[in-house]
Amino acid sequence: MTRAAAEDPRAARTRARLREALLAECAERPLEEVGVAALVRRAGVGRATFYVHYDGLEALAVDACADVVRDAVEALHAWRGRPDPVHAPPALGEFFTSLTPHSALYRALLTPGGGGPLGRVLHRDLRAYSLRERELAGAADAPLVASAVAATFAGVLADWLHGLLDPSATEIADQVWQLLVALHASR
């Protein structure tokens, strides 16, 4: 996608309709059962239009879930001053709770351990944000800790979504928060 296309309001509206249609389709069936024909029919666009904007359904699904990545990064950094080492900022608990409506789609894109297409985006964005913050603070081993923070969060999130971890949304928020605070304090 070119920069000009990204700024075109018509293209933005078309991508928004495709994202909305995908989320609606995935509310009715798993991603692997969603077809391009049904998706474009629901979005009210042509098949060729779909392929102008996306290489395939997985690319659209990752784009549709990109808000989750942004929300995760914002929730992890929704505090100022000295962090409470035990309780997560409320935004982090709210983030975990907000995943429920589309959890099946997130599981399809985020494999256990934090891999998959959504996991790669989450890791990349969270690592970049953490690295920037740590470098601004002059923290030692900024790249190492930024990688550890991104991998820890992506892995815990994925494992929780896949049912490998049992805590409630609030409990997992506090638990992952404690891990991340310990990582930041360790260096």
Side-chain angles (χ1 to χ4, degrees):
M1 195 176 340
T2 65
R3 182 153 174 74
E7 295 173 351
D8 180 353
R10 293 170 298 171
R13 281 192 301 272
T14 298
R15 284 191 303 277
R17 287 184 14 215
L18 287 165
R19 288 189 302 268
E20 289 168 16
L22 178 79
L23 292 174
E25 286 288 320
C26 287
E28 298 170 4
R29 67 188 54 76
L31 177 62
E32 55 272 5
E33 293 179 15
V34 174
V36 173
L39 178 76
V40 297
R41 191 171 31 258
R42 186 178 283 238
V45 301
R47 190 177 188 94
T49 300
F50 170 80
Y51 286 108
V52 165
H53 296 283
Y54 298 101
D55 292 336
L57 285 173
E58 184 177 280
L60 169 58
V62 171
D63 186 36
C65 295
D67 285 344
V68 169
V69 172
R70 186 175 45 254
D71 292 347
V73 172
E74 289 175 9
L76 284 170
H77 295 90
W79 57 276
R80 293 290 173 246
R82 189 168 180 88
D84 179 336
V86 176
H87 300 289
L92 190 56
E94 292 164 9
F95 164 75
F96 277 96
T97 301
S98 75
L99 299 175
T100 303
H102 299 294
S103 60
L105 177 58
Y106 302 141
R107 281 191 302 274
L109 299 170
L110 185 63
T111 59
L118 189 58
R120 287 188 293 275
V121 173
L122 177 60
H123 187 277
R124 180 198 66 215
D125 291 0
L126 185 52
R127 185 184 186 284
Y129 193 103
S130 287
L131 180 61
R132 187 173 50 253
E133 290 292 310
R134 291 195 59 80
E135 287 176 342
L136 286 173
D141 294 327
L144 175 67
V145 174
S147 289
V149 164
T152 298
F153 185 77
V156 169
L157 172 62
D159 287 358
W160 182 74
L161 284 168
H162 283 276
L164 300 174
L165 301 171
D166 293 331
S168 69
T170 303
E171 292 167 339
I172 197 69
D174 285 343
Q175 291 171 357
V176 76
W177 180 253
Q178 291 164 19
L179 289 171
L180 297 176
V181 168
L183 281 171
H184 276 282
S186 69
R187 298 311 254 162

